[in-house]
Amino acid sequence: MNAAPQIPTLPLNDGRAIPQLGFGTWQVEQPDAARVVGEALKAGYRHVDTAQMYGNERGVGEAMRRSGLDREAIYLTSKLSNDNHQPDDARRSFEQSLQDLQTDYVDLFLIHWPLPTRYGGDFVSTWRVLEEFHREGRARSIGVSNFRPQDLDKLAAHCEVTPAVNQIEAHPYFTNDEVRAASRKRGMLIEAWSPLARGGELIEDPAVTGIAAAVDRTPAQVVLRWHVQRGDVIFPKSSHAERMRENLRLFDFELSDEQMATLTALDQGEPGRVGPNPDTFEG
Ligand SMILES: NC(=O)C1=CN([C@@H]2O[C@H](COP(=O)(O)OP(=O)(O)OC[C@H]3O[C@@H](n4cnc5c(N)ncnc54)[C@H](OP(=O)(O)O)[C@@H]3O)[C@@H](O)[C@H]2O)C=CC1
Ligand SMILES: O=C(O)C(=O)[C@@H](O)[C@H](O)C(=O)CO
């Protein structure tokens, strides 16, 4: 097992802290998950982002067990599946997540999507159940994902605990600044999902490759460094050990203000999204 590289932590509004860089596991299928997440832990990642929806929690738990690392050495996030919003389903599925992950707590548990029409748009009763997990210490921090400003207002009006994070799509093609600002204003940290825009066109964009050549880094490192300098949490996914290591090497170089501005100017607004829009996603 490698010594963990120095990854900064960021403070959360509940007094805890989160490593700014982690490992994403969407599309890491259950049969491969123990191996892939095991490689990520070996490379030095100490923060893993999973979800009930990904169907790989058993593999993630197995990778943590096999790693021999203390549970406390790993920051672990999972998320409530869209099918489990009813309070009793949330309780039952959370138990199952802990069992599959082979742990008695997660560091962070999120409502995955706000679901504007399913369950009558009621995520408040769901959030109250997350508050329960938080009180019990089984979810050390709780947060939301894909919540829009109006969803955050609704939670603020009806709930006791302010979410620690809002995990939202963000990258240079879709900076998502309005939701980002609304979340930060309420004291939440932003976790930027699909930070590489899923590894497609963005890392071949001449603006990105030009900066990469200038700073002698890879295009992926340049994009990930942009997120780091914006102060957001990221967890790029890769099934390749070499890329896992590449994506960890972000803390020994800097982008200039001008390079940051060039990347931010790539924003395309709505057409730049690579994932679903929370206004309509109910899947
Ligand atoms: N809350 C939510 O609704 C969502 C949360 N997420 C979370 O965010 C994580 C990251 O987002 P994700 O959608 O996976 O997309 P990413 O932006 O992390 O991109 C992953 C893709 O980029 C490729 N890639 C990774 N590193 C490199 C590199 N250095 N050079 C070139 N290509 C690279 C990967 O390919 P390969 O594997 O072949 O290396 C993969 O195809 C997810 O895994 C999940 O944990 C994601 C979506 C929604
Ligand atoms: O990965 C996640 O956490 C997601 O919710 C998304 O991947 C989403 O399910 C999606 O992109 C479906 O196409």
Side-chain angles (χ1 to χ4, degrees):
M1 188 69 51
N2 286 351
Q6 286 305 308
I7 294 173
T9 56
L10 298 176
L12 296 169
N13 62 15
D14 59 8
R16 295 191 176 271
I18 183 169
Q20 190 175 13
L21 175 65
F23 184 72
T25 66
W26 180 50
Q27 293 185 316
V28 177
E29 304 300 332
Q30 178 68 30
D32 301 327
R35 179 185 56 79
V36 171
V37 175
E39 279 175 4
L41 293 172
K42 195 167 167 205
Y45 289 88
R46 294 293 182 271
H47 168 181
V48 179
D49 181 86
T50 183
Q52 294 176 346
M53 200 192 276
Y54 303 166
N56 61 18
E57 289 176 308
R58 268 190 297 124
V60 171
E62 191 53 21
M64 295 198 306
R65 187 188 66 76
R66 287 186 201 164
S67 75
L69 289 162
D70 289 343
R71 172 66 189 86
E72 294 282 332
I74 301 171
Y75 191 97
L76 178 63
T77 299
S78 192
K79 318 183 192 84
L80 185 77
S81 179
N82 292 344
D83 292 331
N84 292 328
H85 272 226
Q86 300 285 11
D88 281 345
D89 293 337
R91 292 187 188 99
R92 179 196 45 74
S93 67
F94 185 65
E95 286 283 349
Q96 186 66 51
S97 287
L98 293 180
Q99 196 177 315
D100 289 348
L101 291 163
Q102 302 187 39
T103 183
D104 52 10
Y105 73 92
V106 288
D107 294 277
L108 179 62
F109 195 65
L110 310 179
I111 296 184
H112 205 145
W113 290 86
L115 311 180
T117 63
R118 264 177 100 176
Y119 311 106
D122 171 26
F123 49 73
V124 169
S125 59
T126 315
W127 181 252
R128 294 226 169 91
V129 180
L130 266 68
E131 290 181 335
E132 204 176 288
F133 302 156
H134 183 50
R135 274 196 303 277
E136 294 163 351
R138 296 191 300 159
R140 293 194 167 172
S141 297
I142 51 176
V144 294
S145 177
N146 300 301
F147 272 44
R148 304 158 301 165
Q150 65 268 36
D151 302 326
L152 300 176
D153 286 341
K154 188 165 157 187
L155 271 192
H158 297 286
C159 299
E160 268 175 42
V161 180
T162 302
V165 306
N166 192 7
Q167 184 177 125
I168 57 173
E169 179 174 347
H171 45 75
Y173 279 171
F174 183 64
T175 57
N176 210 349
D177 282 334
E178 196 191 324
V179 180
R180 206 168 158 268
S183 311
R184 286 166 67 115
K185 192 178 82 187
R186 291 164 176 80
M188 296 163 212
L189 205 59
I190 296 299
E191 297 191 320
W193 61 251
S194 295
L196 295 170
R198 300 190 171 164
E201 267 175 60
L202 174 64
I203 55 177
E204 290 168 11
D205 191 294
V208 175
T209 55
I211 294 172
V215 298
D216 196 20
R217 294 293 171 139
T218 68
Q221 287 171 328
V222 163
V223 170
L224 296 173
R225 180 70 205 181
W226 172 85
H227 289 281
V228 166
Q229 288 183 214
R230 277 170 40 112
D232 294 349
V233 174
I234 45 170
F235 21 80
K237 173 263 175 189
S238 177
S239 295
H240 297 94
E242 199 177 301
R243 285 179 174 171
M244 291 176 193
R245 289 192 292 273
E246 173 186 336
N247 297 346
L248 273 175
R249 292 196 299 271
L250 307 180
F251 300 101
D252 57 352
F253 76 105
E254 270 186 39
L255 300 176
S256 67
D257 290 347
E258 194 186 341
Q259 289 165 336
M260 286 293 292
T262 300
L263 295 171
T264 305
L266 296 177
D267 184 29
Q268 301 171 359
E270 210 46 44
R273 277 189 198 273
V274 295
N277 184 328
D279 284 341
T280 50
F281 188 68
E282 306 263 337

PDB file of all heavy atoms in Angstrom, residues 229-250:
ATOM      1  N   GLN A 229      -8.544  24.811  -7.567  1.00  0.00           N
ATOM      2  CA  GLN A 229      -8.356  26.245  -7.295  1.00  0.00           C
ATOM      3  C   GLN A 229      -9.690  26.974  -7.114  1.00  0.00           C
ATOM      4  O   GLN A 229      -9.720  28.053  -6.530  1.00  0.00           O
ATOM      5  CB  GLN A 229      -7.487  26.897  -8.378  1.00  0.00           C
ATOM      6  CG  GLN A 229      -6.038  26.456  -8.231  1.00  0.00           C
ATOM      7  CD  GLN A 229      -5.055  27.088  -9.200  1.00  0.00           C
ATOM      8  OE1 GLN A 229      -4.101  26.427  -9.598  1.00  0.00           O
ATOM      9  NE2 GLN A 229      -5.222  28.347  -9.589  1.00  0.00           N
ATOM     10  N   ARG A 230     -10.781  26.401  -7.612  1.00  0.00           N
ATOM     11  CA  ARG A 230     -12.111  26.987  -7.330  1.00  0.00           C
ATOM     12  C   ARG A 230     -12.593  26.623  -5.927  1.00  0.00           C
ATOM     13  O   ARG A 230     -13.610  27.120  -5.464  1.00  0.00           O
ATOM     14  CB  ARG A 230     -13.143  26.487  -8.355  1.00  0.00           C
ATOM     15  CG  ARG A 230     -13.078  27.321  -9.620  1.00  0.00           C
ATOM     16  CD  ARG A 230     -13.846  26.813 -10.787  1.00  0.00           C
ATOM     17  NE  ARG A 230     -15.137  26.221 -10.661  1.00  0.00           N
ATOM     18  CZ  ARG A 230     -16.289  26.752 -11.123  1.00  0.00           C
ATOM     19  NH1 ARG A 230     -16.286  27.963 -11.659  1.00  0.00           N
ATOM     20  NH2 ARG A 230     -17.415  26.092 -11.059  1.00  0.00           N
ATOM     21  N   GLY A 231     -11.892  25.715  -5.286  1.00  0.00           N
ATOM     22  CA  GLY A 231     -12.245  25.361  -3.905  1.00  0.00           C
ATOM     23  C   GLY A 231     -13.295  24.273  -3.800  1.00  0.00           C
ATOM     24  O   GLY A 231     -13.906  24.088  -2.739  1.00  0.00           O
ATOM     25  N   ASP A 232     -13.521  23.512  -4.881  1.00  0.00           N
ATOM     26  CA  ASP A 232     -14.528  22.451  -4.849  1.00  0.00           C
ATOM     27  C   ASP A 232     -13.879  21.093  -4.576  1.00  0.00           C
ATOM     28  O   ASP A 232     -12.679  20.909  -4.773  1.00  0.00           O
ATOM     29  CB  ASP A 232     -15.274  22.390  -6.189  1.00  0.00           C
ATOM     30  CG  ASP A 232     -16.109  23.643  -6.450  1.00  0.00           C
ATOM     31  OD1 ASP A 232     -16.278  24.456  -5.519  1.00  0.00           O
ATOM     32  OD2 ASP A 232     -16.588  23.805  -7.590  1.00  0.00           O
ATOM     33  N   VAL A 233     -14.723  20.158  -4.138  1.00  0.00           N
ATOM     34  CA  VAL A 233     -14.288  18.775  -3.925  1.00  0.00           C
ATOM     35  C   VAL A 233     -14.517  18.015  -5.234  1.00  0.00           C
ATOM     36  O   VAL A 233     -15.528  18.231  -5.906  1.00  0.00           O
ATOM     37  CB  VAL A 233     -15.130  18.126  -2.802  1.00  0.00           C
ATOM     38  CG1 VAL A 233     -14.802  16.643  -2.647  1.00  0.00           C
ATOM     39  CG2 VAL A 233     -14.924  18.860  -1.482  1.00  0.00           C
ATOM     40  N   ILE A 234     -13.585  17.125  -5.584  1.00  0.00           N
ATOM     41  CA  ILE A 234     -13.736  16.336  -6.821  1.00  0.00           C
ATOM     42  C   ILE A 234     -13.371  14.882  -6.565  1.00  0.00           C
ATOM     43  O   ILE A 234     -12.566  14.580  -5.680  1.00  0.00           O
ATOM     44  CB  ILE A 234     -12.845  16.882  -7.966  1.00  0.00           C
ATOM     45  CG1 ILE A 234     -11.434  17.194  -7.454  1.00  0.00           C
ATOM     46  CG2 ILE A 234     -13.489  18.093  -8.619  1.00  0.00           C
ATOM     47  CD1 ILE A 234     -10.450  17.498  -8.562  1.00  0.00           C
ATOM     48  N   PHE A 235     -13.949  13.998  -7.387  1.00  0.00           N
ATOM     49  CA  PHE A 235     -13.587  12.563  -7.316  1.00  0.00           C
ATOM     50  C   PHE A 235     -13.678  11.981  -8.718  1.00  0.00           C
ATOM     51  O   PHE A 235     -14.648  11.306  -9.072  1.00  0.00           O
ATOM     52  CB  PHE A 235     -14.476  11.783  -6.329  1.00  0.00           C
ATOM     53  CG  PHE A 235     -15.783  12.450  -6.021  1.00  0.00           C
ATOM     54  CD1 PHE A 235     -16.840  12.345  -6.899  1.00  0.00           C
ATOM     55  CD2 PHE A 235     -15.938  13.218  -4.882  1.00  0.00           C
ATOM     56  CE1 PHE A 235     -18.032  12.980  -6.640  1.00  0.00           C
ATOM     57  CE2 PHE A 235     -17.126  13.856  -4.616  1.00  0.00           C
ATOM     58  CZ  PHE A 235     -18.182  13.742  -5.495  1.00  0.00           C
ATOM     59  N   PRO A 236     -12.641  12.258  -9.546  1.00  0.00           N
ATOM     60  CA  PRO A 236     -12.626  11.681 -10.895  1.00  0.00           C
ATOM     61  C   PRO A 236     -12.623  10.158 -10.814  1.00  0.00           C
ATOM     62  O   PRO A 236     -12.060   9.587  -9.890  1.00  0.00           O
ATOM     63  CB  PRO A 236     -11.308  12.199 -11.483  1.00  0.00           C
ATOM     64  CG  PRO A 236     -10.457  12.559 -10.304  1.00  0.00           C
ATOM     65  CD  PRO A 236     -11.398  12.995  -9.230  1.00  0.00           C
ATOM     66  N   LYS A 237     -13.258   9.550 -11.812  1.00  0.00           N
ATOM     67  CA  LYS A 237     -13.287   8.082 -11.893  1.00  0.00           C
ATOM     68  C   LYS A 237     -12.347   7.629 -13.005  1.00  0.00           C
ATOM     69  O   LYS A 237     -12.317   8.216 -14.089  1.00  0.00           O
ATOM     70  CB  LYS A 237     -14.721   7.630 -12.191  1.00  0.00           C
ATOM     71  CG  LYS A 237     -14.869   6.136 -12.475  1.00  0.00           C
ATOM     72  CD  LYS A 237     -14.888   5.848 -13.968  1.00  0.00           C
ATOM     73  CE  LYS A 237     -14.913   4.354 -14.269  1.00  0.00           C
ATOM     74  NZ  LYS A 237     -14.719   4.091 -15.708  1.00  0.00           N
ATOM     75  N   SER A 238     -11.600   6.569 -12.736  1.00  0.00           N
ATOM     76  CA  SER A 238     -10.888   5.886 -13.823  1.00  0.00           C
ATOM     77  C   SER A 238     -10.751   4.416 -13.464  1.00  0.00           C
ATOM     78  O   SER A 238     -10.556   4.075 -12.294  1.00  0.00           O
ATOM     79  CB  SER A 238      -9.502   6.482 -14.067  1.00  0.00           C
ATOM     80  OG  SER A 238      -8.876   5.710 -15.087  1.00  0.00           O
ATOM     81  N   SER A 239     -10.837   3.581 -14.472  1.00  0.00           N
ATOM     82  CA  SER A 239     -10.623   2.154 -14.236  1.00  0.00           C
ATOM     83  C   SER A 239      -9.176   1.776 -14.535  1.00  0.00           C
ATOM     84  O   SER A 239      -8.841   0.592 -14.524  1.00  0.00           O
ATOM     85  CB  SER A 239     -11.573   1.328 -15.111  1.00  0.00           C
ATOM     86  OG  SER A 239     -12.900   1.587 -14.710  1.00  0.00           O
ATOM     87  N   HIS A 240      -8.348   2.772 -14.848  1.00  0.00           N
ATOM     88  CA  HIS A 240      -6.950   2.491 -15.197  1.00  0.00           C
ATOM     89  C   HIS A 240      -6.008   3.024 -14.129  1.00  0.00           C
ATOM     90  O   HIS A 240      -6.039   4.230 -13.824  1.00  0.00           O
ATOM     91  CB  HIS A 240      -6.606   3.129 -16.545  1.00  0.00           C
ATOM     92  CG  HIS A 240      -7.420   2.567 -17.663  1.00  0.00           C
ATOM     93  ND1 HIS A 240      -8.594   3.141 -18.099  1.00  0.00           N
ATOM     94  CD2 HIS A 240      -7.244   1.450 -18.399  1.00  0.00           C
ATOM     95  CE1 HIS A 240      -9.100   2.404 -19.070  1.00  0.00           C
ATOM     96  NE2 HIS A 240      -8.290   1.373 -19.271  1.00  0.00           N
ATOM     97  N   ALA A 241      -5.143   2.137 -13.624  1.00  0.00           N
ATOM     98  CA  ALA A 241      -4.263   2.514 -12.507  1.00  0.00           C
ATOM     99  C   ALA A 241      -3.378   3.722 -12.868  1.00  0.00           C
ATOM    100  O   ALA A 241      -3.158   4.613 -12.037  1.00  0.00           O
ATOM    101  CB  ALA A 241      -3.396   1.328 -12.109  1.00  0.00           C
ATOM    102  N   GLU A 242      -2.937   3.758 -14.120  1.00  0.00           N
ATOM    103  CA  GLU A 242      -2.056   4.866 -14.527  1.00  0.00           C
ATOM    104  C   GLU A 242      -2.797   6.210 -14.451  1.00  0.00           C
ATOM    105  O   GLU A 242      -2.253   7.206 -13.974  1.00  0.00           O
ATOM    106  CB  GLU A 242      -1.621   4.587 -15.955  1.00  0.00           C
ATOM    107  CG  GLU A 242      -0.402   5.327 -16.417  1.00  0.00           C
ATOM    108  CD  GLU A 242      -0.080   4.851 -17.842  1.00  0.00           C
ATOM    109  OE1 GLU A 242       0.144   3.632 -18.012  1.00  0.00           O
ATOM    110  OE2 GLU A 242      -0.100   5.713 -18.736  1.00  0.00           O
ATOM    111  N   ARG A 243      -4.048   6.208 -14.914  1.00  0.00           N
ATOM    112  CA  ARG A 243      -4.844   7.450 -14.839  1.00  0.00           C
ATOM    113  C   ARG A 243      -5.201   7.788 -13.391  1.00  0.00           C
ATOM    114  O   ARG A 243      -5.293   8.955 -13.034  1.00  0.00           O
ATOM    115  CB  ARG A 243      -6.113   7.318 -15.666  1.00  0.00           C
ATOM    116  CG  ARG A 243      -5.860   7.402 -17.157  1.00  0.00           C
ATOM    117  CD  ARG A 243      -7.157   7.230 -17.890  1.00  0.00           C
ATOM    118  NE  ARG A 243      -7.015   7.434 -19.319  1.00  0.00           N
ATOM    119  CZ  ARG A 243      -7.982   7.169 -20.195  1.00  0.00           C
ATOM    120  NH1 ARG A 243      -9.156   6.700 -19.777  1.00  0.00           N
ATOM    121  NH2 ARG A 243      -7.790   7.388 -21.467  1.00  0.00           N
ATOM    122  N   MET A 244      -5.436   6.759 -12.587  1.00  0.00           N
ATOM    123  CA  MET A 244      -5.712   7.040 -11.158  1.00  0.00           C
ATOM    124  C   MET A 244      -4.545   7.826 -10.559  1.00  0.00           C
ATOM    125  O   MET A 244      -4.736   8.799  -9.846  1.00  0.00           O
ATOM    126  CB  MET A 244      -5.855   5.730 -10.366  1.00  0.00           C
ATOM    127  CG  MET A 244      -7.073   4.918 -10.682  1.00  0.00           C
ATOM    128  SD  MET A 244      -6.967   3.360  -9.732  1.00  0.00           S
ATOM    129  CE  MET A 244      -8.259   2.424 -10.549  1.00  0.00           C
ATOM    130  N   ARG A 245      -3.339   7.384 -10.888  1.00  0.00           N
ATOM    131  CA  ARG A 245      -2.148   8.058 -10.340  1.00  0.00           C
ATOM    132  C   ARG A 245      -2.017   9.456 -10.938  1.00  0.00           C
ATOM    133  O   ARG A 245      -1.721  10.421 -10.231  1.00  0.00           O
ATOM    134  CB  ARG A 245      -0.886   7.223 -10.609  1.00  0.00           C
ATOM    135  CG  ARG A 245      -0.823   5.949  -9.770  1.00  0.00           C
ATOM    136  CD  ARG A 245       0.551   5.292  -9.838  1.00  0.00           C
ATOM    137  NE  ARG A 245       0.848   4.751 -11.162  1.00  0.00           N
ATOM    138  CZ  ARG A 245       0.509   3.527 -11.567  1.00  0.00           C
ATOM    139  NH1 ARG A 245      -0.085   2.690 -10.743  1.00  0.00           N
ATOM    140  NH2 ARG A 245       0.803   3.115 -12.790  1.00  0.00           N
ATOM    141  N   GLU A 246      -2.275   9.561 -12.228  1.00  0.00           N
ATOM    142  CA  GLU A 246      -2.204  10.884 -12.900  1.00  0.00           C
ATOM    143  C   GLU A 246      -3.156  11.869 -12.219  1.00  0.00           C
ATOM    144  O   GLU A 246      -2.795  13.010 -11.937  1.00  0.00           O
ATOM    145  CB  GLU A 246      -2.590  10.691 -14.379  1.00  0.00           C
ATOM    146  CG  GLU A 246      -2.733  11.956 -15.183  1.00  0.00           C
ATOM    147  CD  GLU A 246      -3.265  11.657 -16.602  1.00  0.00           C
ATOM    148  OE1 GLU A 246      -3.093  10.523 -17.111  1.00  0.00           O
ATOM    149  OE2 GLU A 246      -3.850  12.581 -17.204  1.00  0.00           O
ATOM    150  N   ASN A 247      -4.365  11.413 -11.938  1.00  0.00           N
ATOM    151  CA  ASN A 247      -5.395  12.302 -11.387  1.00  0.00           C
ATOM    152  C   ASN A 247      -5.125  12.696  -9.935  1.00  0.00           C
ATOM    153  O   ASN A 247      -5.771  13.603  -9.402  1.00  0.00           O
ATOM    154  CB  ASN A 247      -6.777  11.645 -11.507  1.00  0.00           C
ATOM    155  CG  ASN A 247      -7.183  11.421 -12.960  1.00  0.00           C
ATOM    156  OD1 ASN A 247      -6.574  11.985 -13.876  1.00  0.00           O
ATOM    157  ND2 ASN A 247      -8.189  10.590 -13.191  1.00  0.00           N
ATOM    158  N   LEU A 248      -4.169  12.012  -9.309  1.00  0.00           N
ATOM    159  CA  LEU A 248      -3.808  12.364  -7.925  1.00  0.00           C
ATOM    160  C   LEU A 248      -2.774  13.485  -7.871  1.00  0.00           C
ATOM    161  O   LEU A 248      -2.635  14.144  -6.843  1.00  0.00           O
ATOM    162  CB  LEU A 248      -3.185  11.148  -7.225  1.00  0.00           C
ATOM    163  CG  LEU A 248      -4.063  10.135  -6.535  1.00  0.00           C
ATOM    164  CD1 LEU A 248      -3.192   8.977  -6.044  1.00  0.00           C
ATOM    165  CD2 LEU A 248      -4.813  10.738  -5.371  1.00  0.00           C
ATOM    166  N   ARG A 249      -2.054  13.674  -8.987  1.00  0.00           N
ATOM    167  CA  ARG A 249      -0.921  14.615  -8.953  1.00  0.00           C
ATOM    168  C   ARG A 249      -1.381  16.033  -9.317  1.00  0.00           C
ATOM    169  O   ARG A 249      -1.118  16.533 -10.401  1.00  0.00           O
ATOM    170  CB  ARG A 249       0.194  14.128  -9.883  1.00  0.00           C
ATOM    171  CG  ARG A 249       0.875  12.854  -9.389  1.00  0.00           C
ATOM    172  CD  ARG A 249       2.198  12.597 -10.092  1.00  0.00           C
ATOM    173  NE  ARG A 249       2.036  12.429 -11.534  1.00  0.00           N
ATOM    174  CZ  ARG A 249       1.797  11.273 -12.146  1.00  0.00           C
ATOM    175  NH1 ARG A 249       1.711  10.158 -11.452  1.00  0.00           N
ATOM    176  NH2 ARG A 249       1.666  11.210 -13.448  1.00  0.00           N
ATOM    177  N   LEU A 250      -2.037  16.654  -8.367  1.00  0.00           N
ATOM    178  CA  LEU A 250      -2.637  17.971  -8.630  1.00  0.00           C
ATOM    179  C   LEU A 250      -2.128  19.055  -7.697  1.00  0.00           C
ATOM    180  O   LEU A 250      -2.509  20.219  -7.832  1.00  0.00           O
ATOM    181  CB  LEU A 250      -4.171  17.885  -8.425  1.00  0.00           C
ATOM    182  CG  LEU A 250      -4.915  16.799  -9.179  1.00  0.00           C
ATOM    183  CD1 LEU A 250      -6.404  16.876  -8.852  1.00  0.00           C
ATOM    184  CD2 LEU A 250      -4.689  16.937 -10.673  1.00  0.00           C
TER     185      LEU A 250
END
